[in-house]
Each structure stands twice: as C-alpha cells, then as structure tokens.
Amino acid sequence: MKDANHSGRIANGKTLVKIRNVHKSFGDLEVLKGIDLEVSVGETVVILGPSGSGKSTLLRCINHLEDIERGSIQVGGEQIGYKLKNNRLQKLSSRAIAAQRRKIGIVFQHFNLFPHLTVLENIIEVPVGVHRIQRAEAIQTARDLLDKVGLSEKEDSYPSQISGGQQQRVAIARALAIKPQLMLFDEITSALDPELVGEVLTVMKDLAAQGLTMIVVTHEVQFAREAADWVVFMDDGVIVEQGKAENVLVNPSEERTQQFLKRVI
C-alpha cells in the first residue's frame, strides 16, 4: 500500500476528485441523496455496499454517463459534465464532455470487447480512431499494457479465444490505453467464475501499488483489505461510513456497516 498519513489518506496527496452534495434520481426513485467524497492523486478508494445502494450510479455520474440533478463533481479541478452559471448547472456540449472523458477510464463487469477485433486491435481502436494517436505509438502502448496485465502472448487472439478473466484484463488494458488520470472499476469481477477472479484482482493490486488513482466498486472485501487506501460504505443512496480499511472493515463504527460485513465476510 502507498504511504498514507494518520487519517488514512495519501501523504501530501493532492485532491483529484471532489464530489459535493451530488443527487441523482431515476423518476421518483432518488438513488444518490447528497454524496460528498474526495479522492487524492494516487489513492485507491474502494466502495462497498449492498445492491441498490447507488455505488454504480455514482461511478457513472463521475464519468458523466449519467446526469446529476444537484451538486458538483470535479476531476482535476474541472467540473464534469456541466459549467456553473449563475449558481446553476448548465450542461456542456457532447464534444466537451467527450474531451473530459479522455481523462477518466472506466471498466464494467461485462467486458464489451469488439468480437471481430483481435486483442491488440481492441486496445488501439479508441486511441487511433478517436484520439488520433499515431498507429505505431498506439501499438507500442498496447503491447506495454498487455505485458503489464500478463497477456503479451494473446495480442493476436480474438475475444472468443480467451477466458473471461483474460477478457477482463484486456478491458483494463483498453481503458488504460487512453492514459487516464482516473480509473473507475464497476464490479469487474462479478461476472467471472470464482477461479478467474484472482487473476484480475492481481492486476488491480499492481495498478494500486504503482500509484494509479482508482475508485473501485466491488464486493471483494479481501481486495479492499489489501489494496485500498480508503474504504467507503454506501447504503440507500448515502455514504454511511468511510475511513481507513482497517477501521471500516475490522472495527466499523456504524451498525449498518457491521450488519453488512457480517453477511459478506
């Protein structure tokens, strides 16, 4: 784990993500009820909680895959998805939002790889086709990333020819190919067979150790213990408790957190 100060946050950490009073509803259902959270550069924050607590919705709001009704989300000091005008949120253009998303990688539980492209082609598709990176540079970056996730020998394989765990590692490499400031992971092991979970978590632990800023929604409590600088427990659209992993996971102060952990540990 990276060096942390007495509060559990990264020592001398500069704030990368600042979330203030974020509200999100789907129709009459309020899913996020005033979320406040900060993430420092180089920090790994793990979000735990039961299904329906708002964890995945929060991630999608950070990347502006979902609108918010109230509040503010900033990444690197930049308001995501909106600009403030006369103290009100005004939505940015699609082009401006797309530019912001270049700083934020996201990996979902379903791999969403292009079945007709090889592993290497999947990774270079966005850098070359969207961000206009030179093909030779994109290929070298892709090969470096495949080496990092332990799949160098699979660059010419198609998704159907590799396991689910390998596909998820390719999805991680693809998200890293845009060289994001921030990585979001949404339950990326939940669709995997149990024996494949470990290989994906190993890659994520390595990324955490290398100082990549990550927000990870997961039910893998052991990963939170081993890799998280900060653990957040959400329930019913609010943050119930947050703190250092050893505090939240071993000695939680809130009864709701205690009840949840008794069921999952």
Side-chain angles (χ1 to χ4, degrees):
M1 190 177 292
K2 290 121 1 218
D3 291 335
N5 60 25
H6 68 281
S7 69
R9 311 313 292 242
I10 295 296
N12 304 314
K14 178 182 178 183
T15 299
L16 178 65
V17 182
K18 185 179 291 186
I19 300 171
R20 290 286 181 270
N21 193 34
V22 165
H23 290 254
K24 170 64 183 176
S25 297
F26 294 104
D28 294 332
L29 178 63
E30 190 176 18
V31 179
L32 301 177
K33 304 174 182 179
I35 299 295
D36 293 298
L37 181 65
E38 290 191 6
V39 180
S40 297
V41 173
E43 189 172 36
T44 299
V45 172
V46 169
I47 304 178
L48 302 171
S51 298
S53 59
K55 310 181 302 296
S56 295
T57 298
L58 177 59
L59 281 198
R60 293 175 65 84
C61 289
I62 293 171
N63 204 36
H64 203 73
L65 294 171
E66 298 287 354
D67 295 336
I68 61 176
E69 275 91 47
R70 277 192 286 150
S72 168
I73 297 174
Q74 294 183 9
V75 176
E78 185 176 9
Q79 185 86 23
I80 299 299
Y82 303 90
K83 60 183 177 181
L84 279 174
K85 188 171 184 180
N86 299 325
N87 210 32
R88 297 184 65 181
L89 294 176
Q90 186 175 86
K91 192 167 183 176
L92 295 176
S93 68
S94 297
R95 183 187 294 266
I97 292 171
Q100 291 181 331
R101 288 195 184 122
R102 295 175 193 172
K103 304 175 185 177
I104 308 170
I106 188 166
V107 183
F108 301 99
Q109 60 178 291
H110 299 293
F111 326 122
N112 297 323
L113 300 178
F114 297 113
H116 62 290
L117 300 180
T118 66
V119 163
L120 184 71
E121 290 166 343
N122 263 281
I123 296 172
I124 70 171
E125 176 74 11
V126 170
V128 173
V130 178
H131 301 323
R132 306 303 181 201
I133 303 298
Q134 291 293 319
R135 185 177 178 84
E137 179 185 346
I139 288 174
Q140 185 57 57
T141 297
R143 286 177 171 153
D144 291 343
L145 289 169
L146 284 172
D147 182 59
K148 181 178 287 190
V149 301
L151 290 174
S152 295
E153 76 285 0
K154 298 294 186 181
E155 70 170 62
D156 294 323
S157 299
Y158 288 89
S160 62
Q161 297 172 321
I162 60 178
S163 71
Q166 290 170 332
Q167 288 184 59
Q168 193 59 286
R169 284 187 277 158
V170 173
I172 292 172
R174 181 177 61 179
L176 292 171
I178 63 172
K179 301 178 181 177
Q181 293 180 327
L182 171 68
M183 277 294 299
L184 309 175
F185 296 94
D186 187 12
E187 296 279 18
I188 67 168
T189 60
S190 63
L192 298 177
D193 292 334
E195 66 267 23
L196 302 178
V197 170
E199 64 188 56
V200 174
L201 293 180
T202 296
V203 169
M204 293 178 66
K205 289 172 192 172
D206 289 344
L207 294 175
Q210 292 162 23
L212 177 67
T213 310
M214 305 193 299
I215 304 177
V216 182
V217 167
T218 184
H219 59 277
E220 299 289 344
V221 175
Q222 190 59 36
F223 172 79
R225 280 203 181 102
E226 295 177 9
D229 298 296
W230 199 252
V231 172
V232 176
F233 174 67
M234 286 183 65
D235 189 27
D236 194 28
V238 300
I239 292 177
V240 175
E241 184 169 357
Q242 59 179 309
K244 293 190 291 185
E246 58 264 36
N247 292 340
V248 175
L249 299 178
V250 178
N251 190 29
S253 60
E254 297 294 327
E255 183 179 355
R256 183 66 188 91
T257 315
Q258 296 167 13
Q259 293 170 347
F260 173 79
L261 290 172
K262 282 179 183 177
R263 290 203 302 268
V264 299
I265 292 180

